[in-house]
Amino acid sequence: MLSTPAPPTGSRSVAANALRKAGLMDTDTRMRDVTDKPGGRKGHQKSSQHKVRSSLRPGRADVLLGRDPSGSTSRSPMVNARIAAANAGGDGLSIRGASKGSAGGRVRRNAISLNGSSRTGAQVVELWREFVKRRWNAEARFLNLERMAEDDFVVKNQLTPPGAPGSGREAAVIFKLAKELKPEIQTISLAHNGIQTGMLLSTLSHYLPRLANLSLEGNQLKMWKDLDFISGKKGKLEHLRELILKGNPLRELEYQSNRAEKYKSDVARRFPSLEMLDQEAIVKISFDVPQASTSAVHAKRSTVTTFPNEMMPSFVTGVDGTLISNFLMRFFPLYDNQRSALIDAYDPNATFSFSANTAIPTRARLEGFHSSKEMPNQKKLEWPPWLNGGRGGSRNLSRMAGGGEKQVKTLHVGGEEAVKAMVELPSTKHEVSTAPEKFCIDAWPTSHAGGTALFMTLHGQFTEFPSEGIRSFDRSFILAPAPEGSRAKLAGWDVMILSDMLVVRAYSSHEAWRPGPLRVQAGEAPTPSAPVGAPQVPATQIPPQVQEALLQIPEPQRSLVLQVCQRTNLNVAFSVQCLEGNGWDLDRAIANFEQVKATLSRDAFL
Amino acid sequence: MTTLTQNDIEIAVRAADHFTRLYYKTYDSSTRVDDLPNFYRPNSALTWNGTPYQGAEGVRELISKMPPTSHEVQSFDCHPIPGSQPPSLFITVSGNVTHGKGPAGNPASTPNKSIDGHPRVFAQTFMLVPDSTAAKAAPGEVAKYYINADAMRFVG
């Protein structure tokens, strides 16, 4: 009765137009990519022509391969009976045939299953809309899409559900319909649909990015890459709390190989927000996640055009500055010249790791540092010693492929391991004592494990050998007072390292943290207000001889020198001396001045 | 003192991954003034380019005066800090941040070579600690963590 129509030229665009008219297809190219070409980006002109030809013989391959459509082998007799009853006049076989897409004259490459040419895309969409409505539980905010191929409505209307052979855009259509549901959908079950590829799910995260619970139970997902189509780690389902993968080869094979723990951790890694997997709780640390409900109320994009503050110098508080400078002045020379000796500075359980941020810094690129005459060796710098060296390579967790093994291998625990890793990293030279302006510290005490620890971050640069190129780095420490009798104390360290994280970057100038105004945009006024606590002195009040002498001081230190001059009445040369002797710490310099001022000769003053 | 197990490390890494996503997404959102302070408590200490702020209220003050931001995390690392159980977390993040309208917001007369408006490199280090007073919301939850210390600087 139904003749098999040749695929009309442009039938796909007809269907697509219908979908667009029905408001159920996006025009953006990303969506077209995933929905138009089930073969992915490889589905270019040539192969799609080939596939259109094969659609002239619908279902042939399935028959030859003995492939069975979703679930029909496991279909219970009761379900079969129900299907038969719902289709008075038809027999079970022909119905099953129809759902296979072999007998209904379906143009398989046509995304929406057209029954002959009598149904438009829009009509099919309306049928799916009705189906979604039937399966929607508004109270539970739950869309139950289990066993779609067996659904009376789907069978009666000869719809091709996602997962069934020949399905194309249906998944996108259904998920888009699901997006329109009110209240917002929270849970979706796609259990037992014979889904073989994660590709079918790619539109799920596009339309339902805030989905909280997803069941994929009893499908045919086999590969980790199938999960990448919905993985929160890939920016997809970032709010997923619960996932069920039971009954998929991906999970079952891992369990059969006694790798359940590895399976759990591999899934958890792909979904940072996940709390439940296969109905078991995942052990995790959580945060006060911003709630969608509160977010919607006050949404207002900032119109501020200036920064809240100027760039300020190193911020060190609540700790004796000499403690920090003693530590750094000992740490870096040893790091540069005798790394193995640093073993004493680490707590026996201390953690050390390094990571490489290989991105090219935009401002440094614009300023041409890479090819500057002043730094002739920048082009000789190479990343592999950082990416692969140091006993396990870079611990950039945002780029880390592979599983938990690498996370463990790149975290070096204890002084001995820390030093072994450091020794294998490129040699360096840090000019901490000769060029303090090239370094910047923020540090303050914090409570830790019932005592006090020092939280410290340091930014700076070093020369790397053998290239003699210059790199920037950030190094963060948790330091604790070295207990009496500890290895650190016996070796003369007042503080010992509990945690040490090193980030190595391409060179950026220390001008980035030069104290002073910050500009958001060219042409706009820089930071308007003077920040709290930093006395700003109008240039006119500075005596001319001081102004002159100040010009000899490098820009980064100038403001500090000026402040010392003004607060102590010392002349510029003595102010510099005083600051140098106190690690360029203003408060310490002033305190030091107060101690010794009685002994200073008249020519120290202005 | 107990040594770190693979499980401890994996939990810490997952937490850091989740945290960095949530934190910068919130920071860059239009609801940041209400949402970003949730990551902090009254005793939290933080610095923004060397200027200190205190607690969730300090964060609110800071963020309400901030031009629009767009962060791109290029690397992050995380350690469970030895000596605490459940462990405090030490997290360092390195990436790009664009403020305002970016280079597109510069006046037409801006020279091509000008760095104004272009993304800056930022470095931010956090210490996250468990909130012993917070109720556990999920069955597998170790604890609810908040930011105890946070130091952010533009470094390029």
Side-chain angles (χ1 to χ4, degrees):
Chain A
M1 200 167 77
L2 295 167
S3 62
T4 305
T9 351
S11 68
R12 212 189 314 176
S13 66
V14 171
N17 278 335
L19 288 171
R20 272 191 212 101
K21 268 192 205 144
L24 278 163
M25 206 175 109
D26 279 345
T27 47
D28 78 73
T29 48
R30 194 151 60 99
M31 284 308 300
R32 272 209 299 279
D33 260 3
V34 290
T35 53
D36 255 348
K37 303 169 187 166
R41 290 176 186 278
K42 286 176 199 149
H44 50 74
Q45 197 64 29
K46 197 175 165 198
S47 72
S48 69
Q49 274 171 357
H50 169 75
K51 280 180 185 161
V52 168
R53 264 203 308 281
S54 76
S55 73
L56 289 166
R57 294 168 270 115
R60 179 81 50 88
D62 288 333
V63 173
L64 287 176
L65 295 170
R67 205 185 283 154
D68 208 20
S70 63
S72 68
T73 43
S74 61
R75 206 182 261 168
S76 69
M78 206 170 84
V79 173
N80 272 334
R82 230 175 344 121
I83 291 169
N87 288 273
D91 62 30
L93 252 182
S94 68
I95 292 162
R96 221 175 291 147
S99 78
K100 233 186 253 184
S102 56
R106 183 177 302 116
V107 181
R108 295 192 63 211
R109 289 292 300 154
N110 218 356
I112 290 298
S113 42
L114 298 175
N115 184 9
S117 52
S118 63
R119 264 188 338 196
T120 65
Q123 284 170 327
V124 173
V125 166
E126 282 314 306
L127 289 168
W128 280 120
R129 191 190 300 277
E130 172 62 22
F131 173 75
V132 165
K133 203 173 115 193
R134 287 167 180 233
R135 292 293 195 100
W136 170 235
N137 178 341
E139 200 179 333
R141 297 167 67 182
F142 172 38
L143 181 60
N144 183 346
L145 298 178
E146 291 174 17
R147 301 184 195 273
M148 285 185 276
E150 299 163 24
D151 188 277
D152 299 354
F153 182 85
V154 168
V155 173
K156 193 175 78 189
N157 291 291
Q158 299 189 3
L159 296 170
T160 309
S167 78
R169 243 177 239 136
E170 288 82 0
V173 169
I174 292 171
F175 299 147
K176 179 144 197 196
L177 289 164
K179 179 195 172 147
E180 294 167 2
L181 293 168
K182 294 280 181 302
E184 186 183 5
I185 183 169
Q186 205 166 44
T187 305
I188 197 164
S189 172
L190 288 162
H192 304 290
N193 282 303
I195 296 170
Q196 297 188 13
T197 160
M199 198 107 64
L200 267 178
L201 305 171
S202 60
T203 51
L204 183 64
S205 61
H206 179 81
Y207 287 115
L208 305 171
R210 299 188 60 85
L211 195 67
N213 311 298
L214 171 65
S215 172
L216 291 168
E217 186 172 349
N219 283 295
Q220 291 299 316
L221 299 173
K222 295 180 188 67
M223 317 284 278
W224 285 111
K225 70 174 163 61
D226 289 324
L227 285 191
D228 290 341
F229 288 98
I230 51 171
S231 149
K233 178 102 179 165
K234 302 265 179 196
K236 304 294 170 59
L237 295 178
E238 291 183 298
H239 301 270
L240 200 65
R241 284 201 305 260
E242 174 160 9
L243 175 65
I244 301 178
L245 290 171
K246 281 181 180 171
N248 284 277
L250 175 67
R251 175 187 189 269
E252 301 313 323
L253 289 174
E254 295 285 349
Y255 268 74
Q256 282 158 27
S257 321
N258 284 322
R259 289 193 301 210
E261 287 310 313
K262 183 175 180 303
Y263 156 81
K264 287 181 202 169
S265 111
D266 283 350
V267 177
R269 197 154 39 80
R270 284 173 167 80
F271 297 91
S273 58
L274 207 63
E275 290 168 8
M276 297 285 285
L277 172 63
D278 301 326
Q279 290 155 323
E280 281 178 42
I282 288 179
V283 180
K284 68 172 304 209
I285 283 164
S286 57
F287 309 96
D288 280 333
V289 185
Q291 297 299 311
S293 51
T294 62
S295 302
V297 185
H298 299 100
K300 198 178 93 214
R301 183 100 175 133
S302 162
T303 52
V304 178
T305 56
T306 54
F307 282 113
N309 285 296
E310 296 192 343
M311 175 62 69
M312 296 295 283
S314 290
F315 178 85
V316 178
T317 193
V319 56
D320 182 359
T322 51
L323 187 89
I324 291 179
S325 54
N326 286 348
F327 172 77
L328 296 175
M329 291 305 179
R330 186 165 176 205
F331 183 87
F332 281 107
L334 283 174
Y335 186 85
D336 289 341
N337 303 312
Q338 199 193 341
R339 279 182 202 164
S340 55
L342 285 173
I343 188 167
D344 297 331
Y346 289 82
D347 178 87
N349 288 299
T351 49
F352 164 74
S353 67
F354 63 93
S355 52
N357 174 1
T358 59
I360 296 168
T362 312
R363 293 183 174 220
R365 179 174 51 76
L366 287 166
E367 289 177 301
F369 293 139
H370 195 63
S371 49
S372 82
K373 288 197 186 82
E374 291 73 28
M375 295 186 288
N377 300 314
Q378 293 306 86
K379 287 182 174 153
K380 297 185 205 158
L381 286 166
E382 289 180 342
W383 282 116
W386 295 98
L387 295 176
N388 311 318
R391 299 214 161 200
S394 161
R395 197 170 195 266
N396 177 353
L397 296 170
S398 77
R399 297 284 159 89
M400 195 170 275
E405 300 84 11
K406 178 137 196 213
Q407 295 173 6
V408 174
K409 197 175 147 198
T410 52
L411 183 66
H412 310 280
V413 181
E416 196 176 335
E417 294 302 311
V419 163
K420 274 186 197 163
M422 283 188 262
V423 163
E424 293 186 14
L425 291 173
S427 301
T428 53
K429 180 161 176 55
H430 297 73
E431 298 175 83
V432 276
S433 50
T434 51
E437 75 281 3
K438 291 178 180 167
F439 298 84
C440 178
I441 303 165
D442 295 308
W444 60 88
T446 179
S447 58
H448 172 67
T452 301
L454 188 64
F455 171 87
M456 174 160 86
T457 66
L458 174 81
H459 312 288
Q461 65 183 64
F462 58 78
T463 306
E464 179 176 319
F465 297 94
S467 68
E468 298 193 43
I470 299 170
R471 285 196 197 280
S472 291
F473 75 95
D474 313 297
R475 198 152 188 168
S476 302
F477 293 101
I478 299 286
L479 303 173
E484 289 301 327
S486 64
R487 183 171 183 170
K489 191 76 178 177
L490 293 174
W493 296 91
D494 292 327
V495 286
M496 61 179 185
I497 299 165
L498 294 184
S499 263
D500 173 5
M501 294 191 291
L502 168 65
V503 179
V504 180
R505 301 179 269 113
Y507 174 77
S508 283
S509 167
H510 62 271
E511 290 290 302
W513 58 76
R514 186 179 71 181
L518 290 166
R519 211 166 25 210
V520 175
Q521 223 90 68
E524 289 189 9
T527 327
S529 58
V532 205
Q536 291 281 302
V537 183
T540 49
Q541 286 178 17
I542 303 169
Q545 76 273 23
V546 175
Q547 282 196 38
E548 207 171 291
L550 273 174
L551 290 176
Q552 311 302 314
I553 310 291
E555 183 79 15
Q557 286 121 323
R558 208 176 288 161
S559 71
L560 282 174
V561 174
L562 178 59
Q563 287 184 51
V564 172
C565 291
Q566 285 167 336
R567 288 169 65 173
T568 62
N569 226 23
L570 283 173
N571 65 29
V572 172
F574 273 81
S575 296
V576 169
Q577 231 178 60
C578 181
L579 278 163
E580 270 176 357
N582 289 286
W584 290 90
D585 181 319
L586 180 64
D587 292 338
R588 275 178 49 212
I590 301 288
N592 188 208
F593 166 79
E594 294 296 333
Q595 289 165 2
V596 301
K597 63 180 174 189
T599 66
L600 293 174
S601 71
R602 176 66 197 96
D603 59 2
F605 294 91
L606 285 168
Chain B
M1 210 175 270
T2 51
T3 44
L4 292 168
T5 65
Q6 171 157 348
N7 200 36
D8 290 338
I9 294 169
E10 286 183 11
I11 292 170
V13 169
R14 283 208 302 272
D17 193 353
H18 194 201
F19 170 77
T20 50
R21 280 164 207 285
L22 285 174
Y23 184 84
Y24 293 105
K25 198 171 185 175
T26 305
Y27 204 118
D28 295 344
S29 75
S30 56
T31 58
R32 60 187 193 175
V33 176
D34 291 319
D35 291 340
L36 198 67
N38 289 338
F39 289 101
Y40 301 80
R41 294 289 181 275
N43 62 334
S44 306
L46 62 143
T47 57
W48 185 87
N49 285 314
T51 301
Y53 288 86
Q54 173 80 39
E57 274 314 301
V59 174
R60 186 183 294 274
E61 184 200 335
L62 171 70
I63 197 73
S64 61
K65 291 182 188 161
M66 192 72 68
T69 55
S70 171
H71 288 84
E72 181 203 352
V73 172
Q74 292 162 335
S75 80
F76 72 90
D77 195 357
C78 170
H79 294 184
I81 306 174
S84 50
Q85 198 56 248
S88 296
L89 301 182
F90 200 31
I91 298 178
T92 191
V93 183
S94 175
N96 257 348
V97 55
T98 310
H99 295 93
K101 300 189 184 82
N106 288 342
S109 59
T110 310
N112 275 346
K113 283 279 178 187
S114 166
I115 59 171
D116 281 328
H118 284 278
R120 290 175 158 90
V121 183
F122 75 93
Q124 191 161 13
T125 299
F126 302 92
M127 180 177 176
L128 267 54
V129 302
D131 182 351
S132 52
T133 64
K136 289 184 185 180
E141 189 175 302
V142 175
K144 196 149 269 170
Y145 276 53
Y146 67 92
I147 300 168
N148 177 47
D150 157 12
M152 197 294 301
R153 258 190 202 273
F154 298 152
V155 292

